[in-house]
């Protein structure tokens, strides 16, 4: 099982099993904060061999408070992985998009289109959402990146 995590409140968590079966959920939140207990509970159930976490950084013109909160969520996910002894890799958006979204515009719409094509069983509009959840789509793409990279490492 490879798990991809798009950190942030509007992010997502996705897993791809060795069988090719895929699942995805929005990032668990409690109130206005990422729910670390729920992330830990999900990872305990999934028992991933590896977590692929999008490597994030502060963006220009982003507020100090929102940047701090975003960084807190990112650190929380790393802390959960460390506490559960789950190996993880930090991957830049440019790296995973180059592999998974090759030949596309490499934007949010391309990630949604990839998931709909490669994993049609994933519902990107959970609950009452009308617009596809791009955080879940990115998480699936991160998991797919990890699956492809680990397959390359095993054959090398």
């Amino acid at each position: 099982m490879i798990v991809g995590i798009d950190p942030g409140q509007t992010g997502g968590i996705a897993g791809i099993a060795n069988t090719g079966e895929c699942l995805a959920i929005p990032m668990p939140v409690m109130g206005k904060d990422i729910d670390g207990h729920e992330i830990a509970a999900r990872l305990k159930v999934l028992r991933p061999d590896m977590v692929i976490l999008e490597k994030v950084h502060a963006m220009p013109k982003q507020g100090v408070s929102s940047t701090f909160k975003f960084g807190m969520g990112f650190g929380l996910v790393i802390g959960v992985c460390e506490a559960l002894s789950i190996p993880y890799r930090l991957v830049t958006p440019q790296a995973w998009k180059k592999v998974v979204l090759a030949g596309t515009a490499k934007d949010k719409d391309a990630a949604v289109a990839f998931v709909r094509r490669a994993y049609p069983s994933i519902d990107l509009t959970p609950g009452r959402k009308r617009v596809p959840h791009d955080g879940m789509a990115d998480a699936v793409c991160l998991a797919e990146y990890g699956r492809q990279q680990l397959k390359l490492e095993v054959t090398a």
Side-chain angles (χ1 to χ4, degrees), residues 1 3 23 37-48 84 86:
M1 169 73 68
V3 169
L23 58 90
H37 292 286
E38 184 63 24
I39 293 170
R42 297 287 178 142
L43 290 177
K44 284 179 185 176
V45 169
L46 294 173
R47 297 183 2 206
L84 297 176
I86 299 171

Side-chain angles (χ1 to χ4, degrees), residues 13-97:
I13 300 173
I16 301 176
N18 295 338
T19 61
E21 184 181 353
C22 184
L23 58 90
I25 62 166
M27 179 62 71
V29 293
M30 181 175 285
K32 293 185 177 185
D33 296 318
I34 292 175
D35 187 347
H37 292 286
E38 184 63 24
I39 293 170
R42 297 287 178 142
L43 290 177
K44 284 179 185 176
V45 169
L46 294 173
R47 297 183 2 206
D49 299 304
M50 176 70 65
V51 168
I52 306 298
L53 178 62
E54 188 172 66
K55 185 176 183 181
V56 295
H57 58 280
M59 300 292 286
K61 299 184 182 179
Q62 199 173 18
V64 175
S65 294
S66 62
T67 300
F68 183 77
K69 189 170 189 169
F70 189 65
M72 285 282 294
F74 177 71
L76 181 92
V77 173
I78 290 174
V80 167
C81 289
E82 289 281 353
L84 297 176
S85 299
I86 299 171
Y88 64 92
R89 291 188 185 166
L90 303 178
V91 179
T92 64
Q94 296 83 0
W96 70 258
K97 287 178 181 183

